[in-house]
Amino acid sequence: MTQPIRVIQYGLGPIGCAVARLAASRDGLTLVGGVDIDPAKAGRDVGEVAGLPAPLGVPVTRTLAETLDRTGADVVLHTTSSYFDLFKPQILEILEAGLDVVSTAEELSFPWRDHRAEAEEIDAAARKAGKTVLGTGVNPGFLMDTLPLALSGICQEVRHVAVTRVINASTRRGPFQKKIGAGMTVEAFREQMAAGRMGHVGLPESMAMLFDTLGQRLVRYEDGVEPVVAETPVETEHVRVGAGQVRGLRQVARGFTDTGEFAVLTFIAALAEEDDGDTIRLTGRPDLEVRLRGTNGDLSTVAIAVNAVRRVHEAAPGLVTMRDLPVVSAW
Amino acid sequence: MTQPIRVIQYGLGPIGCAVARLAASRDGLTLVGGVDIDPAKAGRDVGEVAGLPAPLGVPVTRTLAETLDRTGADVVLHTTSSYFDLFKPQILEILEAGLDVVSTAEELSFPWRDHRAEAEEIDAAARKAGKTVLGTGVNPGFLMDTLPLALSGICQEVRHVAVTRVINASTRRGPFQKKIGAGMTVEAFREQMAAGRMGHVGLPESMAMLFDTLGQRLVRYEDGVEPVVAETPVETEHVRVGAGQVRGLRQVARGFTDTGEFAVLTFIAALAEEDDGDTIRLTGRPDLEVRLRGTNGDLSTVAIAVNAVRRVHEAAPGLVTMRDLPVVSAW
């Protein structure tokens, strides 16, 4: 048995705390610290903040440096922000400290198309540090990119890719229900959409990974979000939706080559959405249809981040993506 | 664009010829030769034997050395035998010639448990040559090992794995229908089973890859084959099966840890089998159920071998398995 890999949890929101709990329980990993900028968390025991069964014996610190003053570490599990402008300084800081990074930042999952300069900056910093950076998650990171790519391995030819993810948000956390617009008027939904960061993050990254890996040239990308409107009232423990109000969203991204549409990614998350599950259709030789049931965004994002740690720790230095690593499995 | 990878097709049976055709048609690959021990094929143009649209301008040779006298090459696509005793000298010969190997040999897909000494010998030869060896295919190589492992990446915990592959053999080649016993009496089926090499090859390899990768200890392995008996007559263009005769086989492998069954792999191939498709069930956190339709053993084995070429050519030296490589996708 090799030495356990020492991990620091950076970001102690709901997902970060769940990642910390899984990392602490996993043979082969040792949770050695936690970082969060929230002053209400700093100074409290990491175990208490993350909901571990016992105190960890070290406090949450507001900076990575403060935790590294107390302990050595190998890998940082990073769960703070989806967006490059917010997470980039953190990733660079972790690399400068000489640690590998597994991040759930959506824009980091395949940044070469939409954030090339920043991706190159992180890649260079990682190579200089001799460390590895991965952006992962269920989506982006798996369902709409890595998994369809893996399935394409048994196809002689792929002419079209269609992935549809349908989430019945009634079973999900309150913040998730709010995030998809549940309970809003259609007007308020459209206003908030127009104002900026609403909807699922990551479709452009999944699209770019598909095209790049399958050797297709992405000449046009379209992405739109529409409200899913309740025909009858819907109520959960977190939100009440009247008839005619929004119960969720439907987001569709289309990628085109010179000759037409090559891939369509559809993300539907709404309360009382019955057909919960994921469908991947590859058109080619042969045609493949794959149906998944049971993928759970919260449980699974936590899982894939922790599961990726050993692969990232063993990988060659640089900014890598899920398609570049050996199979990320449970262990 | 990098230089095309030059490949030699070693083994020109039906699968090998299909591999050669796909390799010849793939941008990024150049088919430069073909090897087959069959004297009826040697000397004829590779393109003619493999069914390419045009002659290749080089003859099939009975030995690899004869082809290498005429041309340089990078990778050998190897499709000759399922069994170590038959393919091992060929793999060693290819490595000594300084070429990478992608093989469809089932026993090579994860040989560390049942053929450890031979696996170590091949691994050592590969490292010495600075080349890479991969055993791949749809099954073993993907459906019952790599794909369930990839799916486990979104699970926090996996307590049980069940994979069932159901093939409606009515749609398959004549030799495949014969291979699964279609048209035999139950008595003849059992005699031939007892005599040795009948049934699907590769379940022990898939099982070993699952256990090893998921960190489970395989303390007991069971594998049995039963005939699937026709209740009413079945007829295909290749075979007639009377009521009471065998229309196919059902093979079940079970793997156990100290605490009980951890994985069950079920392979059913029979004429007139209605529920054609593959099902993967992971029990854990979360439970996952995945249904695949459209996987075609012949098309897909050819696909995955050719698709693996670029990954193998880029990989570090040694004997590797599908779980060790970056995502093998179409390209």
Side-chain angles (χ1 to χ4, degrees), chain A residues 152-153 289 291 293 300 307 330, chain B residues 152-154 289 291 293 307 330:
Chain A
S152 82
E289 180 177 302
R291 286 278 296 155
R293 291 190 175 274
S300 293
N307 289 335
Chain B
S152 82
I154 59 169
E289 179 177 302
R291 287 277 295 155
R293 291 189 175 274
N307 289 336

Side-chain angles (χ1 to χ4, degrees), chain A residues 26 142 149-150 152-156 213-214 289-291 293 299-300 303-304 307 310 323 326-330, chain B residues 26 142 149-150 152-156 213-214 289-291 293 299-300 303-304 307 310 323 326-330:
Chain A
R26 180 67 62 91
F142 189 73
L149 287 171
S152 82
I154 58 170
C155 296
Q156 300 193 4
T213 313
L214 295 172
E289 180 177 302
V290 179
R291 286 278 296 155
R293 291 190 175 274
L299 283 182
S300 293
I304 204 166
N307 289 335
R310 67 171 174 175
R323 65 145 193 225
V327 171
V328 170
S329 69
Chain B
R26 180 68 61 93
F142 188 74
L149 287 171
S152 82
I154 59 169
C155 296
Q156 299 194 5
T213 312
L214 295 172
E289 179 177 302
V290 179
R291 287 277 295 155
R293 291 189 175 274
L299 283 182
S300 292
I304 203 166
N307 289 336
R310 67 171 174 175
R323 67 144 193 224
V327 171
V328 170
S329 69

Side-chain angles (χ1 to χ4, degrees), chain B residues 148-218:
Chain B
L149 287 171
L151 291 165
S152 82
I154 59 169
C155 296
Q156 299 194 5
E157 182 193 2
V158 176
R159 291 191 302 275
H160 190 263
V161 178
V163 187
T164 301
R165 175 152 173 73
V166 178
I167 297 173
N168 177 5
S170 290
T171 65
R172 297 286 295 270
R173 292 177 294 131
F176 184 84
Q177 297 181 1
K178 296 264 162 61
K179 202 175 75 172
I180 60 171
M184 283 184 176
T185 64
V186 171
E187 196 175 26
F189 182 97
R190 293 204 191 277
E191 273 168 22
Q192 191 156 331
M193 274 305 308
R197 293 178 167 176
M198 189 178 173
H200 178 68
V201 182
L203 296 183
E205 286 73 20
S206 291
M207 189 70 81
M209 193 195 292
L210 287 176
F211 272 69
D212 185 75
T213 312
L214 295 172
Q216 301 290 335
R217 207 161 73 85
L218 182 58

Side-chain angles (χ1 to χ4, degrees), chain A residues 173-190:
Chain A
R173 292 178 293 129
F176 183 84
Q177 296 180 3
K178 295 266 163 60
K179 202 175 74 172
I180 60 172
M184 284 184 174
T185 64
V186 171
E187 196 175 27
F189 181 97
R190 295 205 190 278

Side-chain angles (χ1 to χ4, degrees), chain A residues 94-113:
Chain A
I94 298 166
L95 290 171
E96 276 157 29
L99 305 174
D100 294 312
V101 188
V102 174
S103 174
T104 58
E106 286 88 342
E107 289 189 348
L108 193 60
S109 63
F110 194 89
W112 304 101
R113 179 171 177 270

Side-chain angles (χ1 to χ4, degrees), chain A residues 113 144 159-163 203-212 214 216-224 252-266:
Chain A
R113 179 171 177 270
M144 291 190 173
R159 290 191 301 274
H160 190 264
V161 178
V163 186
L203 296 182
E205 287 73 21
S206 291
M207 189 69 81
M209 194 195 292
L210 288 176
F211 272 69
D212 185 76
L214 295 172
Q216 300 290 335
R217 207 160 75 86
L218 182 58
V219 299
R220 187 156 57 94
Y221 175 82
E222 294 173 1
D223 184 341
V252 181
R254 295 179 191 279
F256 298 83
T257 66
D258 285 327
T259 58
E261 181 185 294
F262 179 72
V264 55
L265 307 177
T266 305

